[in-house]
Amino acid sequence: MKYFETKIVRTWEPSNWLRILGSILLLASAGIVFVWDPEIAWIKTLGYIVYIITFIFSMSTSFIRPKDIGMVSISEDKIKVEYKGNKASFQISELKELGLNDRGYASYWKHSLQSNKNHLYFTDGLNDLYDFEIIIQNKEKKDDLKQFLKDLKSSSSLKVERNGISSFNS
């Protein structure tokens, strides 16, 4: 029996206030150090320190590893989900749709450099929507999932959707 298994994760995303504060500190300290260039040594030193700290923080947010919060396993007849200690099983025949929103590989502020950030979603017979952020570690896993979803679509009456970047949809 063919199946696909991966982790359910939660990626830390900084709040808008934290992003705005970091941007203001970065721009202000860059202005102090590189534009204004004060003659008072402690102001210039403080400007460099704030600039370096905010620059490192803004670049390092992409390297924060997503937190594992469960597992999802999709087979030809059911989807098994272990999410935050709870286990659930959904029969493929009872689902209305199954989809993958593929956002591609890592980018600044949106994705982790640990792997892809994708969302697997499905709707059950009661019209409850389940949406999980999953990890696809590499191109081989992505190709495996792509082929699995194609096979699943052809072998069942389930509506299978793939959204996102064009390389996945081809």
Side-chain angles (χ1 to χ4, degrees):
M1 177 190 289
K2 288 181 68 175
Y3 71 96
F4 182 82
E5 186 173 73
T6 189
K7 294 178 184 177
I8 300 172
V9 297
R10 175 153 167 64
T11 303
W12 179 73
E13 294 186 21
S15 68
N16 288 337
W17 290 108
L18 188 59
R19 291 179 188 187
I20 291 169
L21 178 65
S23 298
I24 290 171
L25 286 173
L26 185 65
L27 292 173
S29 62
I32 288 171
V33 172
F34 301 114
V35 177
W36 180 33
D37 197 23
E39 294 180 13
I40 303 171
W42 70 270
I43 293 177
K44 194 171 190 174
T45 304
L46 183 64
Y48 274 119
I49 291 170
V50 170
Y51 180 76
I52 289 169
I53 289 172
T54 55
F55 183 76
I56 290 171
F57 178 75
S58 68
M59 297 311 253
S60 66
T61 56
S62 294
F63 292 98
I64 296 173
R65 183 178 174 89
K67 182 180 178 183
D68 296 346
I69 55 175
M71 292 289 290
V72 63
S73 177
I74 308 170
S75 67
E76 294 171 343
D77 58 342
K78 68 173 131 181
I79 297 176
K80 293 180 187 176
V81 177
E82 183 182 327
Y83 183 69
K84 294 183 179 178
N86 299 323
K87 293 182 180 182
S89 182
F90 302 91
Q91 295 294 327
I92 294 291
S93 60
E94 296 173 1
L95 298 180
K96 290 187 176 181
E97 70 174 342
L98 171 66
L100 178 73
N101 185 7
D102 177 27
R103 293 175 151 185
Y105 292 95
S107 72
Y108 192 67
W109 288 114
K110 292 184 181 177
H111 305 288
S112 168
L113 294 177
Q114 300 292 327
S115 58
N116 296 335
K117 181 176 179 183
N118 305 287
H119 285 266
L120 177 72
Y121 60 92
F122 56 90
T123 306
D124 66 4
L126 302 172
N127 285 333
D128 292 331
L129 176 67
Y130 296 90
D131 184 5
F132 301 106
E133 181 182 342
I134 63 169
I135 282 196
I136 299 176
Q137 288 90 356
N138 53 36
K139 185 166 177 22
E140 291 80 30
K141 285 274 198 182
K142 184 177 182 177
D143 291 340
D144 290 346
L145 180 57
K146 179 180 173 181
Q147 186 60 44
F148 181 77
L149 290 177
K150 269 186 184 177
D151 294 345
L152 188 62
K153 185 175 184 176
S154 64
S155 68
S156 70
S157 61
L158 180 66
K159 179 181 173 186
V160 178
E161 296 179 352
R162 294 186 308 269
N163 303 319
I165 63 173
S166 59
S167 66
F168 191 87
N169 293 323
S170 59

